[in-house]
Amino acid sequence: MAISTRLDTARVLATVLLPTLAKGVVVRRPGVMAAAEKVQSDTRAIDTMRRLRDRYGPEPVRLRITGRSVAMLVDPADVGRLLAESPDPFALATREKKAALSHFQPHGVLISDGPERQQLRELNERALRPENVPAEAVVRDEADLLTRHVMSTGELTWQSFDQAWWRIVRRIVLGDGARGDDRLTDDLKALRQNANWAFLHPKRRDLRERFQSRLDEHLARREEGSLAAQPGDLSGQVPHWLFAFDAAGIVTLRALALGARGTNGILESARLWPTTPVILRESGKPTRWHGTWLPANTEFVVFTPFFHRDPDRLPFADRYAPEYWDGPRDPAIVPFSAGPGVCPGRDLVLTVAATMLDVLSEHLSFPALGTPLPGTLNHFGLRMPAEPTGTRVS
């Protein structure tokens, strides 16, 4: 069994896990993201993971953490197995994930188990089909306003993009009546900031009740043409949909910085800078790996930037390679996870994000990032000079 030395455990904690937590796994912290970009923390983390694999071989590497069995995966085939065999024996609802997400979505599918999880999973799959909402029309409407704004200022920033993105998200999820409800998503952001601390932050029940009450008012309209019009009890699931769309916005702006287009461009942005940097699973029983056994209740950690940008495996690790998505897939390149726990809204997210990317690119051009691409890209700090293209006038 591969058990890391105390020094190697300290390196993994110092360069991989703690920086990832510091950046914010539920909502990103702007100051920490700026510092992480300055030192290229993800590149350092990838180097640590490469050394871990080279030293201990392909089997999961157990960290020396008192009172907890934690194993870092280093083999792409093991990632494929872990995700394929979820939720049994590898549960998605780990203790850490429950502690974090219960701050704002205590009834969400990601932290449910057993028959309840299966029922909620089916509800999410049915509700989040792209054909359920006129997503492209909504995106084009809001992108048109953003385009005019960018033409007047001469640059696209995260702040202006984010405002337009949330108008799109609220309209798609809850309907046009929620378009201007910034308070709803601001309250959700505050809850998510608390969720970054998981066990360490007390739950703000008053804030969550206020958020949930405001959300339920929108859901009660069941506005036609929105996800809220789908059948079933959506109240406990919508907080996660809003949460997930935030990550999609980050991916979309980074794709614009790449000069990317279409679905492959969105997927490449998510490969290069995964918005889910850590995938967690917890074993419900002892499991066998490469001839050795790991005990029940082991937490398995997949550090996705390592698998997405490992230069030893991927000749395109640090460049924009949209052609990758037209061929065979690596089992460890998983921008939407994989297996039974794959993101149920992946097709809708890709439709919305790719449409936003393409509509903005129809009328605006931006300087593209050069190769090799940075390991850490702070989306908060992006200020992209824009030039009008095509026939649109301000």
Side-chain angles (χ1 to χ4, degrees), residues 42-356:
D42 289 286
T43 301
R44 292 183 176 185
I46 291 166
D47 288 342
T48 294
M49 292 300 300
R50 291 169 68 194
R51 287 195 294 269
L52 203 68
R53 175 198 55 206
D54 293 345
R55 180 166 186 174
Y56 296 98
E59 65 185 287
V61 181
R62 289 186 70 184
L63 303 182
R64 290 183 181 270
I65 297 177
T66 303
R68 194 79 166 96
S69 177
V70 177
M72 305 292 296
L73 295 193
V74 294
D75 186 338
D78 287 349
V79 175
R81 174 195 167 187
L82 185 81
L83 301 181
E85 296 180 15
S86 301
D88 183 23
F90 304 114
L92 290 87
T94 67
R95 281 174 273 179
E96 289 77 8
K97 196 180 294 183
K98 286 181 178 179
L101 299 186
S102 62
H103 279 270
F104 65 96
Q105 53 158 5
H107 307 295
V109 65
L110 271 187
I111 53 175
S112 60
D113 297 294
E116 180 189 22
R117 181 191 178 278
Q118 183 60 34
Q119 181 184 25
L120 293 177
R121 177 75 195 190
E122 291 171 358
L123 184 154
N124 279 265
E125 290 276 8
R126 288 194 306 270
L128 294 172
R129 293 170 181 160
E131 60 267 25
N132 289 340
V133 288
E136 293 187 16
V138 172
V139 173
R140 286 188 173 275
D141 190 24
E142 298 295 343
D144 180 75
L145 292 176
L146 178 58
T147 297
R148 294 176 185 276
H149 171 76
V150 172
M151 284 184 173
S152 69
T153 62
E155 68 175 3
L156 177 63
T157 65
W158 168 252
Q159 288 72 24
S160 59
F161 179 89
D162 190 49
Q163 290 173 8
W165 183 258
W166 277 114
R167 291 195 295 267
I168 290 169
V169 172
R170 289 190 295 263
R171 290 178 64 183
I172 288 173
V173 176
L174 300 169
D176 291 349
R179 178 183 184 270
D181 195 353
D182 293 318
R183 180 67 174 273
L184 176 78
T185 39
D186 286 347
D187 281 353
L188 177 60
K189 182 178 180 180
L191 289 167
R192 291 168 56 211
Q193 288 169 336
N194 297 341
N196 274 341
W197 295 96
F199 304 101
L200 301 178
H201 198 290
K203 290 184 172 62
R204 295 182 59 187
R205 300 189 188 281
D206 55 339
L207 178 58
R208 201 187 80 77
E209 288 173 4
R210 185 177 77 190
F211 163 75
Q212 194 67 48
S213 175
R214 200 176 188 93
L215 176 62
D216 288 342
E217 288 178 10
H218 288 299
L219 288 171
R221 294 197 313 273
R222 291 196 173 271
E223 189 172 317
E224 185 177 353
S226 72
L227 295 179
Q230 297 306 304
D233 182 2
L234 307 178
S235 181
Q237 309 311 305
V238 170
H240 186 73
W241 301 352
L242 297 170
F243 161 50
F245 266 114
D246 186 22
I250 296 171
V251 168
T252 305
L253 187 67
R254 287 170 171 166
L256 282 167
L258 284 169
R261 296 292 292 268
T263 298
N264 283 11
I266 295 297
L267 289 167
E268 263 298 270
S269 174
R271 175 187 72 82
L272 288 159
W273 302 288
T275 52
T276 304
V278 172
I279 297 175
L280 302 177
R281 296 289 188 270
E282 190 170 327
S283 60
K285 60 185 180 183
T287 53
R288 186 178 176 88
W289 299 85
H290 300 266
T292 63
W293 288 87
L294 290 177
N297 302 318
T298 293
E299 182 158 54
F300 293 89
V301 180
V302 178
F303 183 62
T304 53
F306 165 58
F307 292 102
H308 286 201
R309 297 188 69 167
D310 177 7
D312 300 319
R313 288 176 31 251
L314 308 174
F316 53 86
D318 295 326
R319 66 174 177 84
Y320 174 57
E323 68 280 0
Y324 163 76
W325 299 98
D326 296 323
R329 306 287 176 85
D330 185 296
I333 298 181
V334 285
F336 289 96
S337 190
V342 68
C343 173
R346 59 199 178 281
D347 292 335
L348 176 59
V349 165
L350 283 172
T351 297
V352 174
T355 302
M356 185 70 158

Side-chain angles (χ1 to χ4, degrees), residues 3-16:
I3 302 178
S4 70
T5 64
R6 296 192 185 281
L7 180 58
D8 284 336
T9 293
R11 286 194 182 110
V12 171
L13 291 174
T15 64
V16 180

